Amino acid sequence: MARKRTNGPKREIFINSTMSETRIAILEDGRLVELFVELPENERMVGDIYLGRVVNVVRGMRAAFIDIGQQQDAFLHFSDIGETLKEYGAFLDLESSVDEQVRQNRRPVPREGQEILVQIIKEPISKKGSRITTEISLAGRFMVLVPHSDMVGVSKKIPSHNERRRLKQIANRIRPKGFGLIIRTVADGKSEEMLRNDLQNLLKTWQQIEKKLKTVRPPSLVYKDLEMASSVIRDLFTADFARVVTDSPKQYKQITKYLNEFTPLLSKKVELYKEKTPLFDYYGIEQEIEKSLSRKVWTKSGGYILFDHTEALVAIDVNSGKFMGRKGHDENSLKINLEACREIARQLRLRDIGGIIVIDFIDMIDPANRKILYDEFQKELRKDRAQTNISPISEFGLIEMTRERIRPSLMFTYSEPCPVCNGTGRVASKSTILTKIERHIKRICASTNERSMTLVINPDIADFLTRGLRSKIRRLMWKYWVKIDVQEDEGIALDEFRFISKKSGKEIKVM
């Protein structure tokens, strides 16, 4: 049996599904620390496998650009080209020179026009295409299957040396010829039979990929990884978590079915939320999300933190704000900085900020205080699953750091460039406004008897809601059994709306 966690924060997963998006919130001791958002037009891509075609090779950049059928060509750095590239010769248009390069211990370099099998490791952002690799892998519940490899690895996050050794012995026994295996943290305490079952499922998936490769032409998607909610359950949900709560009966069935197959004991921790109050409202998550999208975040003692995104980096500024300390400058500054560093570490996870980050803490003269701040920030960053690297505090009170980026940050998910200011500001996306409207309807139905109303909204949003025979507003009316007339108002902002009661003619107010 897997060992139970004896200390650490209480961890929970909440999954909210609406017509326009799925949101997964991870809480530690009741505080929101991570948020995943998946929109229909922007589904999760990490793990997807494509048959692509090399468009351009830029040796000066040590990179190639690959057409995989997306708006921007994907970026393949030479360091992400594995030696196993030659093994796909049965499916891809590779020349003998590639084999010769491998024999000479040099990484193979693709050529323009070549067909190549790749996997997405980072999603596109702004004008940058997806980052891809030729080192293909398939993730299961307990292991990762690596085709055309002989490696065997075990997660270092498994604390027991004896358990790691046991799992490695099992992996060596069950590993098929021509495949490598990486045993995941959730395999801790699992039987050989459970690992074999997971392996068989992964092998079936790989056989389907091989079969498809023989019939498709680039650019083509040959394997779609799990959608966001399922991938979070597969990759993150372990015995460390107290529970998973979802408001979708469909997802509840999918999650429990998956867990009953692989980890039956965990299926008992899955709950279906049935209350009328929206799930994220009930647990106070909605308010935390609103804060996470704000440029300014307040700390406990009255200081505040500003987050600014630029093309090259994210700048974070710490300010004393309303704090009125009674001690000396350094002692007061240390108190504000320590509160800020804890909140910044949480916000980096929550907003999923990646790339280069520069933090301007309040300057402190005493080197001992700088070390206290640096050590505390390092400790907080260890809670982050993403890889981070930080520099010592400079003489100007700055910390420069990098954080692994896999997908666009929360700001890019929840907003789109403003057409008026050409991208210098942000407005809520149409999908986000639709979600807010749906939540407002749900609150009206839960707290009033109103069933016939007028929705007053900006003309652009009205067109988005009413377009087509299966319009979004019609689907909302059927879903909540209400009558809604849409009234356009050019004087209302894009992200504003009002519900007017047909019965009283007054605006419907709900908390």
Side-chain angles (χ1 to χ4, degrees):
M1 297 292 294
R3 288 172 294 279
K4 292 185 178 180
R5 189 185 183 100
T6 56
N7 51 27
K10 178 186 177 184
R11 306 171 75 197
E12 302 166 289
I13 298 175
F14 294 88
I15 305 174
N16 165 234
S17 295
T18 65
M19 190 167 62
S20 60
E21 69 179 8
T22 297
R23 301 182 297 171
I24 304 103
I26 297 180
L27 274 64
E28 292 181 356
D29 290 333
R31 297 194 75 200
L32 181 64
V33 294
E34 290 188 63
L35 180 68
F36 304 92
V37 181
E38 185 170 49
L39 306 175
E41 70 274 16
N42 188 24
E43 293 183 344
R44 178 179 182 270
M45 299 178 188
V46 173
D48 293 354
I49 300 174
Y50 286 84
L51 181 61
R53 187 184 300 279
V54 180
V55 175
N56 192 18
V57 179
V58 186
R59 292 180 180 270
M61 292 177 60
R62 293 184 51 77
F65 292 90
I66 316 296
D67 178 13
I68 60 174
Q70 295 181 350
Q71 188 173 358
Q72 291 113 352
D73 292 333
F75 178 81
L76 175 64
H77 193 269
F78 287 176
S79 63
D80 293 317
I81 299 176
E83 293 183 357
T84 56
L85 180 66
K86 68 184 181 68
E87 301 292 346
Y88 299 112
F91 312 111
L92 310 179
D93 180 21
L94 298 180
E95 292 185 339
S96 59
S97 60
V98 172
D99 289 329
E100 184 178 346
Q101 287 172 329
V102 173
R103 286 195 298 270
Q104 294 174 356
N105 292 323
R106 291 187 297 161
R107 290 187 182 273
V109 177
R111 59 177 174 77
E112 292 183 11
Q114 177 184 322
E115 297 179 15
I116 188 169
L117 192 67
V118 295
Q119 187 168 34
I120 293 180
I121 54 177
K122 290 184 181 179
E123 294 185 359
I125 181 172
S126 187
K127 297 179 182 179
K128 297 179 181 178
S130 301
R131 181 152 182 172
I132 54 178
T133 179
T134 67
E135 297 183 296
I136 309 298
S137 63
L138 295 176
R141 174 66 174 167
F142 303 126
M143 67 182 67
V144 176
L145 181 71
V146 186
H148 307 299
S149 173
D150 57 2
M151 69 177 298
V152 172
V154 178
S155 170
K156 293 180 180 178
K157 292 183 180 179
I158 296 175
S160 168
H161 173 74
N162 290 335
E163 177 63 7
R164 292 200 302 271
R165 184 172 59 184
R166 181 186 76 89
L167 290 170
K168 189 165 187 177
Q169 290 172 346
I170 293 175
N172 280 315
R173 281 199 300 271
I174 67 176
R175 182 181 72 84
K177 185 178 180 181
F179 291 90
L181 295 180
I182 302 172
I183 305 300
R184 309 185 73 177
T185 308
V186 289
D188 188 0
K190 300 301 182 290
S191 67
E192 181 172 333
E193 181 183 3
M194 297 179 76
L195 269 62
R196 284 186 182 274
N197 290 339
D198 196 26
L199 175 60
Q200 290 306 311
N201 289 332
L202 291 172
L203 288 172
K204 287 178 184 177
T205 301
W206 179 247
Q207 289 166 3
Q208 292 168 358
I209 292 172
E210 288 184 314
K211 184 177 180 181
K212 189 170 183 178
L213 279 170
K214 295 177 181 178
T215 60
V216 298
R217 302 299 301 167
S220 295
L221 174 68
V222 295
Y223 171 72
K224 179 71 181 171
D225 200 10
L226 297 178
E227 45 84 25
M228 183 73 74
S230 297
S231 70
V232 167
I233 296 300
R234 179 193 67 190
D235 298 339
L236 300 183
F237 185 42
T238 64
D240 294 0
F241 283 84
R243 59 176 174 165
V244 171
V245 183
T246 177
D247 58 8
S248 166
K250 180 181 178 181
Q251 282 190 336
Y252 174 78
K253 291 179 182 177
Q254 290 175 341
I255 292 169
T256 52
K257 181 181 178 182
Y258 177 80
L259 292 173
N260 280 328
E261 181 179 355
F262 291 101
T263 319
L265 288 176
L266 288 183
S267 65
K268 298 177 182 178
K269 294 185 175 185
V270 184
E271 302 174 15
L272 177 61
Y273 180 79
K274 299 180 180 179
E275 301 298 325
K276 288 185 177 180
T277 304
L279 174 66
F280 278 21
D281 281 1
Y282 186 83
Y283 287 100
I285 300 171
E286 204 67 63
Q287 187 179 4
E288 286 293 315
I289 294 174
E290 293 294 332
K291 289 180 182 178
S292 75
L293 296 176
S294 173
R295 178 173 175 257
K296 180 185 288 188
V297 176
W298 291 92
T299 60
K300 185 177 179 181
S301 296
Y304 65 88
I305 309 162
L306 295 176
F307 292 81
D308 288 304
H309 290 254
T310 74
E311 189 75 20
L313 53 82
V314 174
I316 301 175
D317 186 28
V318 178
N319 294 274
S320 57
K322 303 174 183 177
F323 178 73
M324 299 293 290
R326 297 182 179 180
K327 299 182 179 180
H329 170 79
D330 253 37
E331 289 80 1
N332 292 336
S333 299
L334 179 61
K335 180 179 175 62
I336 299 169
N337 283 337
L338 287 174
E339 285 186 0
C341 85
R342 297 180 192 115
E343 184 61 27
I344 289 169
R346 185 176 81 99
Q347 289 289 334
L348 291 178
R349 295 172 66 190
L350 180 53
R351 298 172 186 237
D352 208 359
I353 295 173
I356 300 172
I357 303 160
V358 178
I359 307 169
D360 183 9
F361 286 102
I362 299 173
D363 193 25
M364 297 180 293
I365 299 172
D366 189 345
N369 287 335
R370 292 187 179 189
K371 186 176 188 308
I372 291 171
L373 173 61
Y374 180 79
D375 292 343
E376 180 67 15
F377 192 38
Q378 274 198 320
K379 185 187 82 173
E380 291 296 315
L381 289 175
R382 291 191 194 104
K383 301 174 184 177
D384 196 344
R385 290 183 297 108
Q387 183 176 347
T388 57
N389 293 291
I390 71 171
S391 68
I393 301 176
S394 74
E395 60 180 309
F396 304 110
L398 301 176
I399 282 186
E400 298 171 11
M401 64 173 290
T402 60
R403 184 176 183 272
E404 179 185 19
R405 182 186 74 80
I406 297 176
R407 61 187 64 84
S409 73
L410 203 60
M411 185 191 77
F412 292 98
T413 302
Y414 264 119
S415 61
E416 57 189 24
C418 174
V420 177
C421 62
N422 296 317
T424 59
R426 309 290 298 184
V427 297
S429 67
K430 293 181 177 67
S431 294
T432 301
I433 296 170
L434 172 59
T435 300
K436 288 184 177 181
I437 290 172
E438 181 174 353
R439 284 198 290 268
H440 205 80
I441 294 171
K442 193 169 184 179
R443 291 176 187 133
I444 291 173
C445 293
S447 59
T448 74
N449 293 321
E450 299 284 351
R451 288 298 181 271
S452 182
M453 60 200 80
T454 299
L455 171 61
V456 183
I457 203 161
N458 182 278
D460 286 348
I461 305 301
D463 178 66
F464 175 72
L465 293 178
T466 58
R467 192 186 309 129
L469 293 176
R470 288 177 53 81
S471 67
K472 296 172 179 62
I473 197 69
R474 186 183 297 273
R475 289 164 63 187
L476 285 174
M477 287 193 287
W478 277 106
K479 182 174 181 179
Y480 294 100
W481 205 242
V482 293
K483 177 69 171 66
I484 303 174
D485 292 330
V486 177
Q487 179 181 320
E488 299 181 10
D489 184 353
E490 292 184 353
I492 199 168
L494 279 170
D495 59 349
E496 293 180 0
F497 57 87
R498 297 192 303 272
F499 280 95
I500 309 298
S501 169
K502 287 286 190 70
K503 187 187 300 181
S504 67
K506 297 180 179 179
E507 182 175 353
I508 304 171
K509 302 277 190 180
V510 291
M511 295 298 292

